[in-house]
Amino acid sequence: MRYLLSLLVFSFIFLTTNAQTGKVSGTVMDGELNDVLPFANISVKNTTKGATTDFEGDFELNLDPGTYDLLFSFVGYQTKEITGVVVKEDDNTLVNVTLSSAAGSLEEVIITTTARRNTEQSVLRMQKNSNVLMDAISIETMKRTGASDIASAVKTVPGVSIQDGKYVFVRGLGDRYTKSVLNGMDIPGLDPDKNTIQMDIFPTSILENVNVSKTASADLQADFTGGVIDIITRDFPSKEEFTVSFSGEFNPDMHFQDSYVNYPGGSTDFLGFDDGTRALPVDPNVRIPNPASSDNQLTGPLTSRFNPQMAADRNTSPMNISVGLGYGNQWDVKENKLGFIASIDYKNKTQFFENFENGIYQKNPDASVNELRFDRRQQGDLGQNNVLLTGMTGLSYKTSYSKYRFNVLHIQNGLSQASLFDQDTQISNAISTVKDNLEYNERSITNILLSGKHTQEDGNFTIDWTLSPSFVKADDKDVRLTTFIREANTLNISSDAGFPTRLWRELEEVNAVGKLDFTKKYSLFEKNSTLKFGGFFSYKQRDYAIYNYNVGFINTNPRDLNGGPNQILRDDNIYNADTNSGYYMRGAFQPSNAFDASQTVGAAYASNEFRIGEKLKSVIGLRLVDFRMYYTGVTTGGAALDNEETLSKLDLFPSANFVYEYNDKTNFRLSYARTTARPSFKEKSNVQIVDLLTGIIYLGNLDVEPSYIDNFDLRYEFYGDQSQMFALSGFYKRFNDPIELVAFNVNAPNQFTPRNSDFAEVFGIEFEARKNFNFIAESLKDLSLNFNISLIESRIEMNKGEGQEFESRQLFAREGEVIDGTRELQGQSPYLINAGLNYNKEESGLEVGIFYNVQGETLQVVGFGLNPDVYVEPFHSLNFNFSKTIDKNQRSTISFGANNILNDNRESQYQSFGGQRELFEIRRPFRSFSLGYSYKF
């Protein structure tokens, strides 16, 4: 007992003593080269305490609570003094510093600034010193906007917009021209056919920052045009920290509504995956006998294996909830450091779109009639429950000259959807129907990252390597559609509207990515220069298959079902071989709707950063890329392809970036780069994918080819004090063989396919300003305005020739309509506007902001023949965020948010010369309000 008491007393004294100290940490950057500054000196003024940055420019100082002045110095650089650095007990104060060259100065120069001003400018300093045109979003900025995920935060970046609440478009260019990477490495999204990963799947708790590069360099991959978004996850935590957060979101028009549409699922739906309830109940290679077969005794038993649930139900909709847990710590292991992070985030979101509408319209064959006529119109109720579960854990180990990192990220997503709607058809078949649609999409990503960084004692030669495999599954499980035709006083099933359908889609993809980078700092013409070279390789392989079944019937009358979908596969209605009557399943595996495809990318690059004179920084580079695609499947004509090479390209991608540093606050930038946009697996395939909700059919195209783009950028930027800045940019892009989504042919208004056009070009200007209000009064220094606008014009040359777009538009032009052979580029927005008014009182932990975002009318689907163009209408997003710490240590935070304050709708419309616009699709998200709480231990 005496020994136990002594141990407790010693532990108390030890913990008390250690709790009385705080920490200052940060990174020292090289202001001449856009890189870290290893082995710089940090000293505490008027004391003997100090530290030295490691090979990554990082440093740490353990100090007693108080206020200090810190001196940062390095041979050949100006010394910087940071005053008023406040150290709190058991807390970490972050101080990031950039040192500028002292070339040409005969005496020591000391630059003095305050700690707060230095912290505010650190992110903008990185942006200013970047070799490419870049915008960065720190975790602090994300918190300020109240963003719980990247999608909510990144739209404040100039020229960036969000589609469908999750996909990022840069400079108004569509998904094809924007690329997303995780820690600099390729990662597929929950929709592997998108070039950008869904941004709403990354909670801010796992992030360090997000970098958006709008111009290319040789060390970046070449398959982007608008921009590349690099999602940087957390690395070494500065101290031990445990966080817990939870929030709820309420939409008065969607939640706690007793008319919400859903259907019974599995017991694990709340975790984002199916428990087997929706699994294909028969072997896909088994043929279900039809009633005329000699083995029709098996028809009924095989049919009875299918879940009889075919109808959408009405229930009460829940509100949205999210929960997050995170832990991080670092330990000293002799002279080295070991870091650990782990987090888990859970989101459960319910949406209810009452009176949603879809439409398919065509031009009238009579050219004197301008008004469009509908082929089909749908109206009804749609319910969605979206579960997102994200888990990440990582280890980092740093020695004097090396750093190793191991990360595992898993994202699990389950979307359950049900809809009940009416459809009227006029052109293809004059009927009126009522439909029940049930869907479940289960998707998952597992990403593993192993990386290393090594340098020498002087830090002038660095080796970076990364290996990152990813595993993706995307399955549509037991998608069901039941259609009843309205007849006089009854409902019927017939081939006129299609038989009840069940289908399964299975996708598995493996991505293996590796890269090796070398960086050598050296002197060229007596000026600091950097040579970078390296290699990249990726291998992607995808298996895709569709299993399609529908319900047939014999010697029974579907009018007796009284319009009840759940009656179809009731036990006493299933086919009986003895009576040769009843309902039965038919269908099987479709070879034309399955493929095994792969692609390889091998690349090598070299770039050199050097100065011409004192003010002009130049980065010249060249990237060599070998790209190949292979396809195994069956063509529409029945021909079998076995690992057929469908695409092989060996390309050079030059890049040049020039930065003229007029003074310490002003840059002029000029850049050129050649980039590409490649077809996805789905696009360069032979599949036919049906959306049972809208009736739209996607057709793959084995003949589609890559696009090549020449990019030119010019920019003026001014960086003021207190994180204020002003920038004006202009850009021009020339596209060869741009890929667009177009109507398949004249007679198929609901079928779309990717095709190459000949030529396109895009012109644009961007304006960005960040300004606080201290010019009115010093008391308003915490109030700031962020504003940016992009104005963009695009022009594409239509394909000419027999059966091409130009001829089809001329053939079906309205009277008085002139077809000049050009139009805007599909997916290109004509303007983008972001604005935010933010109040941030750091001392009291109060942040309040209101943020506005809109994107101009954008061509969504290119018309063909009688099929008119479809445009996405502007969505005016206005959101309000409030957060406040509620304890003296600022560990507890409450937050409140209001989204879609303007109550705008997401809408797409058909447009045709002289005619009234008609609805392609509308969803009404309504206003929502959120309340959250977080605590840091």
Side-chain angles (χ1 to χ4, degrees), residues 770-789:
R770 305 182 191 184
K771 178 68 177 174
N772 62 32
F773 289 81
N774 65 341
F775 66 95
I776 298 176
E778 183 62 24
S779 58
L780 296 178
K781 68 180 185 300
D782 298 313
L783 181 66
S784 62
L785 173 68
N786 292 346
F787 176 81
N788 60 77
I789 182 171

Side-chain angles (χ1 to χ4, degrees), residues 203 216 253 314 385 476 507 604 628 676 717 774 788 845 866 914:
D253 295 281
R314 298 280 189 180
N385 179 247
D476 297 331
L507 183 154
R628 301 172 188 267
T676 186
E717 53 193 24
N774 65 341
N788 60 77
L866 288 174

Side-chain angles (χ1 to χ4, degrees), residues 596 630-634 639-645:
D596 179 353
Y630 302 88
Y631 187 83
T632 299
V634 178
L641 301 178
D642 185 9
N643 203 32
E644 185 84 9
E645 187 177 77

Side-chain angles (χ1 to χ4, degrees), residues 382-394:
L382 169 66
Q384 294 179 334
N385 179 247
N386 194 357
V387 174
L388 187 67
L389 184 62
T390 304
M392 187 186 81
T393 186

